[in-house]
Each structure stands twice: as C-alpha cells, then as structure tokens.
Amino acid sequence: MSGISFDVEYDLAVIGGGAAGKSAALTAAKGGLNVVILEKMSEAMGSAQHAEGACAFESSEQKAREGGDVHMPTKEEGFREYMRYSHYRANAPIVSMFVKNSAEAIEMLREVGVEFEKVISYLPDMPEELASMHIPKGMGMRCQELLQKAVRDAGVDIFVNTPVEHLILDNGAVVGVIAKDSDGNEIQIGAKAVIIATGGYGCNKELMKKYNYIGGDSSVWATIPPEMGVKNTGDGFALAEEAGGVINGGGVVQLFAGGIGKLPGSESGAAGTQPCLWVNQGGERFINEDIATKGTFAGTALAGQKDSIAYGILDQDMIEYLQNVGSDTSFGAFLQMHKPMTHLLDELEQDMAAGQAWKADSMEELVNQIGLPKEVFLETVETYNRACDRGIDEEFYKEPRFMKAIRRAPFYAIRIAPDYPTTCGGIMVNEKLQVLNRERQPIAGLFATGNDASGLYGDTYTMTVPGSTNGFAHTSGMVAAKYILSVLKSE
C-alpha cells in the first residue's frame, strides 16, 4: 500500500444498512471478519423495511408446504422464468447464483428469529406467478429489526448519519472509503473489501430521467419520502464509477401506480387506480384497466402517457363499493384487497382542495373541471358504458368482471401517475458480486449488491417471480460476503 493513512481499519466496510448490507455484514462477522456498516440515514433499515416478503426456491419453508394446493417452484423453474421473462437479457450466471443460494438466505433469516407465515404467489389475478414469496410475520419491518439486532450482536460496528463520499484506491484496488460522521468530520476508513449496498436510485429524479428504460415524464413520479426512512439516490453508482466500474442495465424500474403526492396505502390514490375507467390527457382510454390488479404493469402503462398522467373516473356506485367492500387491488402491507376504505371520502376532500381530484353531478361538469377535451371525453365515457352493458370490451379486452358502467352521480375524477419507483440494478457485476470495469475484469476489493447490482432482470421487473427485489438483496449480500471470506481466509 502506498503509504495511505487511515483513521480506522476493518476487514470489510459495507456502504448501506438495508437488506443487502446487513446480510453481508452478518455473514462476514459470523465468519470472523471485523466489519463496519456506514449508513447515511438515521437508522440502518433501508427500503426493505417496507417490503412484504422475499423470493426463494426450494427453501425449507417451501419444502414443508409441498404436496398442498400450491405448487412450490424448483430452482430450475425459477431460473427458466427469469430468463424467459427477460427474453434472455438477464445475466444467466447471476440468475443461477441467486436461485441456487436463495434458500440459504431464508435460513439466515430464520436463524435470526424471522418467522415465515406463508409462501405464496403474490397477485391473485396473475396465475402464471410462481409461489416464491416468503411472507414473514411483521413484514419487512420486523425482518429488518431482527437482522439489525443480529448484526449488532455479531459485533458489527454500525455508524448512522455517516454517508460515504469517496472510495480510496491504491494502484487500481479499492482499499477503503472516505465518509463523513454525524458531526461532519471526514473519516478515512481502511478496508480489505468494500461492498456497495446503497439501494439504487429510486429517490433521485435526475438519475431516473437519465437511466430508466420505461420513458415518460419521470419528474412527476412520486418517490418514497425521506420520512419513511428511505433515501436511495444512487450514491453507489457514483462510487462505482469513481473506481472504474460500469453502469450497465441501470434502467430497470419497479414502478407502481397511485395518486400524485400520496403515501403508500392512500385510499384515494388506490381509488383512482382501481380497474375502473382510465383516461389520458386527451380524454381517451389507452389500456385494459384490469392491469391495475397486476402490480407494476399499471405503473409502466401510466408512464407512457403524456406527462405520465392519467385520470381514474368513478361514480357513486364505485365509491360505495370501495367503502363497503374495499379495493380490488392490493399493495402489500400498505393496501389490502377487499378491506373497506373508511377514510376515502375524507381523503378525496383533501385531494379536491389540492387540485388532484374532482367531483361533479354530471359528466359535462366533471370534464369542464378537469380541463380535458370535452367531446372526446364524453364519447369515451359513452362508448365505455355501452361496452359495459354488453359485457365485452372490444377495444382493449378488459376482463368482463371489471366492466362496470359509470352512470350514477356524483362522479369523481382522480389524477393518477406512476409512483414509488424502486430501481433494480445498474452496476455491472459478476456472479461473485465483484464490480467489473470496462474490460469486464473485477475491480479488486469492490463489490455491489442488492438494487445496486445488475443482472437479475431484462428491461423490466419480473412480475411472475414475486419477492425478487428483497430476496436478491438478502441473497446477494450473503453471497458477496461468503466470497470475501473465502479470499481473506486464504491469504
């Protein structure tokens, strides 16, 4: 080493304390390494605290449920589905690494006290989904709390409010990081290996515009607010590039749909994104709205509209259905299917005051309030109602059970848009999670995991394998740490 002076030294420095970071830290610490987690937020929880479950194949939880009504997928089935869905754009060695090691990641979580209630396919209206989602008691929050406790008990140092600003390189190898502590003091930390686990760039609108494959006006996409403990701004991308790493496949976005400026679980936002009538700013239908029941498909469809904005149109019958029966869609722990919406009218009043929803006694009055092309909108509604009467959507082939005419006043319009983007990859890595340079050679001492690491997907999130984001985070962190252990123990 070229005479670099450090304030403190560790075997492993982990940048980010989410699912991937804590899984890596726990694995390394249990293997005897001296480990530090550097987390820029006030808690080492990450976006996984809001996750519902984790994907795995041939886990002990799945084996215990074999022979039931639901088929438990094999590793081979998981591998083939990732490759099929991505049209073979996914990186096969990385997909193989994940499916082969995912069950061990579930065991790691079980060992820290996580109890899994069920293993399911996620969306009732997507029968082609694999039953890969392992749902823990207490969802992601409880899972991350238990993992954090285990990490501390294993002797890992966790420094919060401590962002990493630069990597330290010596002859092309990463040998440490430069961070700022909670008082703003610069710290030089030496490390034999560094893992990037910063969660992607879902909260960075500039990087979203630069990288995302979906297109559309990403400036209106609602990001997860910092008060939810998440601020994934692409820090890992900048660090990897600083060391000669390559951003490859950074445009995969797990994108949902909701009301503009609404938090996850908002009842009015969910009302607007029901499988009702959706119109764009031209006053026209543009999709079979039953995609509302198919997760990220809805966000992707909205993103392609002008300004990435559309409007959900409802009548009083639909409002009463939502109040009494509940949503026909779900969003994990935030929005449960067929749970009555008890705060819907109050939220709609707030949205109307904010200019994000409208209410009128006639369709003519409603379209005048919204400002859409009047004749086009009225013809769209009339055509849609006639299709509902026939029970056949000859335009977009929407499922008949969701074909409900809009005739009973008052009528409502709710502005909807893509929201809560989670980015899934970006930094080019190999199956050991080593960051690669432009010659596709490993950069010594540098690794990337979780939502910072590319390879699991093609150009969109694999909706048919639920729990992939969270499962890959835990698994990739564990695999990277195991490889680091094997290298350091052999020296």
Side-chain angles (χ1 to χ4, degrees):
M1 194 173 293
S2 306
I4 301 174
S5 177
F6 299 112
D7 297 305
V8 62
E9 295 186 48
Y10 290 87
D11 294 320
L12 173 63
V14 180
I15 307 171
K22 291 197 293 291
S23 296
L26 178 62
T27 302
K30 289 176 69 175
L33 299 189
N34 188 20
V35 183
V36 63
I37 291 176
L38 303 165
E39 168 60 54
K40 71 177 182 180
M41 301 298 285
S42 59
E43 289 188 282
M45 295 292 282
S47 54
Q49 66 185 295
H50 303 299
E52 299 95 277
C55 170
F57 303 93
E58 299 183 31
S59 71
S60 60
E61 295 287 338
Q62 288 166 313
K63 290 177 180 178
R65 293 167 172 81
E66 287 178 347
D69 295 334
V70 178
H71 171 69
M72 295 296 156
T74 64
K75 295 173 184 177
E76 178 180 350
E77 289 170 330
F79 174 84
R80 290 188 179 279
E81 183 58 17
Y82 280 115
M83 300 310 296
R84 181 201 68 81
Y85 195 99
S86 71
H87 298 134
Y88 282 78
R89 291 186 63 184
N91 186 320
I94 290 175
V95 174
S96 180
M97 173 275 295
F98 173 50
V99 301
K100 288 178 179 177
N101 291 279
S102 58
E104 186 177 350
I106 294 296
E107 290 308 305
M108 175 187 68
L109 295 174
R110 281 165 50 94
E111 288 172 4
V112 303
V114 175
E115 297 179 60
F116 291 97
E117 293 184 304
K118 50 191 174 181
V119 181
I120 60 171
S121 57
Y122 185 60
L123 296 171
D125 288 317
M126 190 176 284
E128 64 269 33
E129 267 193 325
L130 302 183
S132 57
M133 176 81 94
H134 293 61
I135 304 290
K137 287 184 179 179
M139 297 287 191
M141 181 66 73
R142 181 58 177 160
C143 183
Q144 295 308 304
E145 289 171 347
L146 289 168
L147 191 54
Q148 183 176 151
K149 180 181 184 302
V151 166
R152 292 188 185 278
D153 290 346
V156 175
D157 289 335
I158 302 178
F159 295 106
V160 297
N161 299 312
T162 306
V164 172
E165 300 190 333
H166 298 285
L167 299 177
I168 301 173
L169 285 87
D170 184 42
N171 294 322
V174 174
V175 296
V177 303
I178 299 174
K180 279 193 175 180
D181 66 16
S182 56
D183 296 320
N185 300 311
E186 187 175 280
I187 314 168
Q188 293 212 137
I189 301 171
K192 297 174 183 176
V194 173
I195 292 178
I196 295 172
T198 62
Y201 61 91
C203 297
N204 186 321
K205 289 184 178 291
E206 290 184 6
L207 291 186
M208 189 66 65
K209 182 177 180 180
K210 178 179 179 180
Y211 287 120
N212 95 82
Y213 293 147
I214 296 173
D217 184 2
S218 58
S219 67
V220 305
W221 301 357
T223 58
I224 298 176
E227 57 265 31
M228 291 182 66
V230 179
K231 195 175 182 182
N232 300 334
T233 52
D235 304 350
F237 281 31
L239 294 171
E241 289 182 304
E242 182 179 63
V246 177
I247 306 304
N248 180 37
V252 180
V253 180
Q254 187 179 1
L255 196 60
F256 297 95
I260 294 178
K262 309 299 290 187
L263 290 173
S266 159
E267 292 186 358
S268 61
T273 53
Q274 292 298 300
C276 53
L277 169 64
W278 294 2
V279 299
N280 58 23
Q281 294 192 77
E284 300 173 313
R285 282 186 78 202
F286 56 92
I287 198 67
N288 51 311
E289 297 93 344
D290 53 35
I291 62 163
T293 67
K294 295 177 173 61
T296 62
F297 290 174
T300 301
L302 288 174
Q305 298 309 299
K306 182 178 183 294
D307 301 326
S308 292
I309 286 174
Y311 303 84
I313 310 298
L314 304 88
D315 69 357
Q316 185 61 26
D317 283 342
M318 296 179 187
I319 294 295
E320 290 177 4
Y321 176 86
L322 294 172
Q323 288 179 298
N324 298 322
V325 178
S327 173
D328 284 331
T329 67
S330 65
F331 187 21
F334 300 113
L335 177 68
Q336 297 177 36
M337 185 178 292
H338 295 161
K339 178 180 179 181
M341 294 186 178
T342 57
H343 305 292
L344 177 56
L345 293 183
D346 290 338
E347 288 192 29
L348 283 172
E349 289 292 336
Q350 295 171 8
D351 291 347
M352 286 186 278
Q356 299 295 348
W358 298 264
K359 176 183 178 182
D361 290 328
S362 69
M363 283 295 180
E364 290 80 2
E365 182 185 352
L366 187 69
V367 68
N368 287 338
Q369 290 181 21
I370 308 170
L372 302 182
K374 185 173 183 178
E375 291 185 5
V376 175
F377 175 82
L378 294 177
E379 177 59 28
T380 295
V381 173
E382 182 59 30
T383 299
Y384 179 76
N385 282 342
R386 288 197 299 267
C388 290
D389 292 342
R390 295 193 305 270
I392 301 173
D393 177 13
E394 295 179 343
E395 187 172 16
F396 297 119
Y397 307 101
K398 182 175 179 176
E399 291 183 47
R401 63 195 174 106
F402 294 126
M403 296 292 291
K404 299 176 182 178
I406 307 169
R407 289 197 173 99
R408 182 184 168 203
F411 304 102
Y412 296 81
I414 303 170
R415 200 194 311 264
I416 57 178
D419 63 8
Y420 308 118
T422 298
T423 61
C424 304
I427 302 171
M428 186 165 61
V429 296
N430 61 18
E431 67 272 20
K432 301 179 182 70
L433 287 309
Q434 294 172 291
V435 175
L436 305 180
N437 61 23
R438 293 196 178 278
E439 287 71 43
R440 302 208 172 199
Q441 296 301 307
I443 298 170
L446 187 61
F447 299 77
T449 59
N451 286 340
D452 286 324
S454 286
L456 188 62
Y457 308 100
D459 57 4
T460 56
Y461 177 77
T462 308
M463 276 301 301
T464 51
V465 190
S468 291
T469 306
N470 195 29
F472 184 71
H474 288 292
T475 303
S476 60
M478 179 193 72
V479 169
K482 288 175 69 175
Y483 178 71
I484 292 167
L485 273 167
S486 70
V487 171
L488 296 185
K489 293 294 186 180
S490 66
E491 292 179 349

